[in-house]
Amino acid sequence: DAKTTQPPSMDCAEGRAANLPCNHSTISGNEYVYWYRQIHSQGPQYIIHGLKNNETNEMASLIITEDRKSSTLILPHATLRDTAVYYCIVRANLNTNAGKSTFGDGTTLTVKP
Amino acid sequence: DTAVSQTPKYLVTQMGNDKSIKCEQNLGHDTMYWYKQDSKKFLKIMFSYNNKELIINETVPNRFSPKSPDKAHLNLHINSLELGDSAVYFCASSQHSGNTIYFGEGSWLTVV
């Protein structure tokens, strides 16, 4: 599975959009981009995933560049409860080692009042 | 309804003891995992079972033995606990073909 690079920390004002970048320059054609977050003292929570098209759900939007070497997770209206560590991982679906992807250090997002 | 539940949530025990952490998922998934998150917050996979068969076994001391009595359960037994085993252990599950992984709330293990 491809490795990812994320900034260690970011701040965002409450109510504003939070844009979290992720670089995955060695991503393979069959690998998806997944985003998870971990709120303090809780288990990681799935947010969104995509292959090459932009995706949106009730939690966030995922923008993947055309060359698929980077992506951005967008939380459109960040709240204090969005303060968490955000992990970007890439892995192939239908893969027997699906869970083997290393989560990395992630980005600690702090939403401030 | 809790999708992936694990017990106990907190466990403090002495070195040398043997302990188990239980995990159950009610999502109907066929694949379950154990992850370890240490003090540096790095999340590492330990084991993965698909339909009760071991498919991922990372470099983990053989003091750690997973057991999957059925698709919905994956328990972790740890023998001869050491100080370095102190960590948060997360159980997770996914549908093999779907790969979105759903995590439990974690079990905080402290070895003293």
Side-chain angles (χ1 to χ4, degrees), chain A residues 67-83:
Chain A
D67 63 7
R68 301 205 330 118
K69 293 185 177 182
S70 65
S71 61
T72 301
L73 178 74
I74 301 172
L75 308 178
H77 305 287
T79 69
L80 298 179
R81 288 178 295 179
D82 291 323
T83 293

Side-chain angles (χ1 to χ4, degrees), chain B residues 94-106:
Chain B
S94 70
Q95 189 57 26
H96 185 68
S97 62
N99 287 3
T100 297
I101 298 175
Y102 296 88
F103 287 82
E105 290 300 302

Side-chain angles (χ1 to χ4, degrees), chain A residues 34 36 38 41-46 49 87 91-105, chain B residues 9 33 35 37 40-43 45 48 55-56 58 90 94 96-106 108:
Chain A
Y34 278 79
Y36 285 79
Q38 189 173 21
S41 298
Q42 296 183 21
Q45 175 190 25
Y46 165 78
H49 75 284
Y87 296 100
R91 69 174 183 273
N93 268 358
L94 305 178
N95 186 331
T96 56
N97 289 328
K100 198 171 182 177
S101 299
T102 300
F103 273 62
D105 293 335
Chain B
K9 187 172 177 68
Y33 313 85
Y35 284 79
Q37 188 170 45
K40 295 182 179 179
K41 304 300 182 184
F42 208 66
L43 198 60
I45 190 167
S48 172
I55 58 171
I56 295 175
E58 291 298 290
F90 289 100
S94 70
H96 185 68
S97 62
N99 287 3
T100 297
I101 298 175
Y102 296 88
F103 287 82
E105 290 300 302
W108 271 252

Side-chain angles (χ1 to χ4, degrees), chain A:
Chain A
D1 291 337
K3 293 184 71 173
T4 62
T5 305
Q6 299 175 252
S9 63
M10 292 181 64
D11 290 344
C12 178
E14 188 178 18
R16 304 296 294 269
N19 298 294
L20 293 91
C22 179
N23 287 323
H24 30 80
S25 58
T26 60
I27 191 170
S28 300
N30 65 344
E31 288 183 317
Y32 286 70
V33 180
Y34 278 79
W35 283 84
Y36 285 79
R37 72 179 182 185
Q38 189 173 21
I39 296 171
H40 182 62
S41 298
Q42 296 183 21
Q45 175 190 25
Y46 165 78
I47 301 173
I48 198 167
H49 75 284
L51 183 63
K52 52 184 177 182
N53 296 324
N54 297 338
E55 301 288 343
T56 295
N57 63 20
E58 65 278 5
M59 290 182 68
S61 294
L62 174 60
I63 308 297
I64 303 174
T65 58
E66 193 168 341
D67 63 7
R68 301 205 330 118
K69 293 185 177 182
S70 65
S71 61
T72 301
L73 178 74
I74 301 172
L75 308 178
H77 305 287
T79 69
L80 298 179
R81 288 178 295 179
D82 291 323
T83 293
V85 179
Y86 287 78
Y87 296 100
C88 165
I89 62 173
V90 292
R91 69 174 183 273
N93 268 358
L94 305 178
N95 186 331
T96 56
N97 289 328
K100 198 171 182 177
S101 299
T102 300
F103 273 62
D105 293 335
T107 296
T108 299
L109 174 69
T110 303
V111 181
K112 299 185 174 180

Side-chain angles (χ1 to χ4, degrees), chain B residues 66-104:
Chain B
K67 284 189 171 50
S68 181
D70 55 56
K71 285 197 316 181
H73 296 84
L74 181 62
N75 304 323
L76 183 65
H77 189 75
I78 315 171
N79 290 327
S80 303
L81 279 156
E82 300 177 356
L83 294 177
D85 296 333
S86 296
V88 185
Y89 293 85
F90 289 100
C91 178
S93 73
S94 70
Q95 189 57 26
H96 185 68
S97 62
N99 287 3
T100 297
I101 298 175
Y102 296 88
F103 287 82

